[in-house]
Amino acid sequence: MLLRRQFLQLSGATALAAALPDLAVAADDYPNRPVHLVVGYAPGGVSDILARLIGQKLSERLGQPFIVENRPGAGGNVGADEVVHAPPDGYTLLLAGMANAINVSLYPELDFNFAHDMAPVAIFSRSAMVMEVNPGFPAQTVPDFIAYAKAHPEAINMGTAGTGGSTHVAGALFQMMTGTKFTHVPYRGSPPAIADLIGGQIQVMFDNLTASLPLIRAGRLKPLAVSARTAALPDVPLISDFVPGYEAYSWNGITAPRDCPPAIVRKLNGAVNAIVADPDFRAKLADVANTPVADTPEGFGRLIETDSGKWAKVVQFAAITP
């Protein structure tokens, strides 16, 4: 038995040693043909814009085209499903975001778990959420808004860009932490919701800052607070200043199929982190109210795990179903 065990160990070590040069060659040679970057949303949205920004920079740095492919549907699950089941060779990647972490609990019937079936490659940006009202709304601060909501139970309509998305769970988290209750009014994207907020049909939104910033700057929307520090609205307080522990922000990164070779993941991570440090890229992120972020694959993986667990509690609290 001892000899057999030693033989198997030696055989395994020999096989691993034989495989290591192949992985090294694959990483050194990667990419040697176009790479497909899948976006789970339609062209023209923030995810699509960010994918094209990072894709262009990756093409310049790695010498091969990074082709953006839009696969909209099911809250981003159509695109994620395509990448999960793609060959794990680094040539099919996903522009991943907060919605993918939410979807782990929102769509339990999926045949994959995003947190476990994707290889985290690199995070490159995040964006604050903004709690906003019509400038004529009676409450002009977060404490006043909470007091108003409790004095008028269920009288506040909260608009969102869609059921189960980032704007929905950010508002549900606020209700969970403050003991308030709003009537959820889902729209097909932020623009129609914002139009009704300006018109007074809804009273509050927890919107992605990118979508609302031009109207905030024009004075047509009133930001009560933001969910994270942002250079776009430096003088607006944090929601956590009034609701301790509140945190919600939209993030963007790149993931690959789970068994993508670690050497390729590390090469992509290094390229993305170098791009994040590039002043031109940082300026372009600022144009869409995004903050540059860099991390290791392991750190990005921890964020995905943490977000998946956090939003699962919110989905359950608010009984959100797609």
Side-chain angles (χ1 to χ4, degrees), residues 11 31 43 58 159 229 231 238 252 256 284 296:
S11 298
L58 283 167
R229 293 291 179 199
L238 292 171
N252 298 278
K284 287 176 178 175
T296 62

Side-chain angles (χ1 to χ4, degrees), residues 78-138:
V78 170
D81 182 82
E82 179 174 326
V83 176
V84 163
H85 295 101
D89 54 10
Y91 288 92
T92 304
L93 307 172
L94 180 73
L95 192 287
M98 175 182 173
N100 297 112
I102 298 168
N103 288 346
V104 170
S105 54
L106 191 62
Y107 295 89
E109 73 282 2
L110 292 174
D111 69 349
F112 67 91
N113 182 305
F114 182 84
H116 299 143
D117 294 329
M118 283 283 195
V121 174
I123 186 172
F124 63 85
S125 78
R126 75 177 190 180
S127 176
M129 314 293 288
V130 57
M131 181 183 180
E132 60 193 9
V133 296
N134 183 296
F137 188 74

Side-chain angles (χ1 to χ4, degrees), residues 30-31 33-36 66 87-93 256-257 260-261 264 268:
Y30 175 88
R33 55 187 168 87
V35 178
H36 297 270
F66 277 68
D89 54 10
Y91 288 92
T92 304
L93 307 172
C260 185
I264 290 178
L268 283 167

Side-chain angles (χ1 to χ4, degrees), residues 131 142 174 177 225-229 237-248:
M131 181 183 180
V142 172
F174 184 88
M177 296 183 70
V226 290
S227 66
R229 293 291 179 199
L238 292 171
I239 296 175
S240 60
D241 290 343
F242 314 105
V243 185
Y246 183 95
E247 185 179 48

Side-chain angles (χ1 to χ4, degrees), residues 207-273:
D207 200 17
N208 290 303
L209 181 56
T210 304
S212 291
L213 187 58
L215 290 166
I216 290 172
R217 288 175 169 165
R220 301 185 69 188
L221 292 173
K222 167 71 176 179
L224 299 186
V226 290
S227 66
R229 293 291 179 199
T230 171
L233 295 175
D235 299 325
V236 175
L238 292 171
I239 296 175
S240 60
D241 290 343
F242 314 105
V243 185
Y246 183 95
E247 185 179 48
Y249 57 84
S250 189
W251 49 263
N252 298 278
I254 293 174
T255 61
R258 181 178 57 191
D259 295 325
C260 185
I264 290 178
V265 169
R266 287 194 298 273
K267 186 170 186 176
L268 283 167
N269 179 266
V272 171
N273 287 348

Side-chain angles (χ1 to χ4, degrees), residues 45 54 57 65 152 191 223 310 316:
I54 194 72
K57 291 293 186 179
H152 303 80
K310 171 183 176 178
Q316 182 179 18

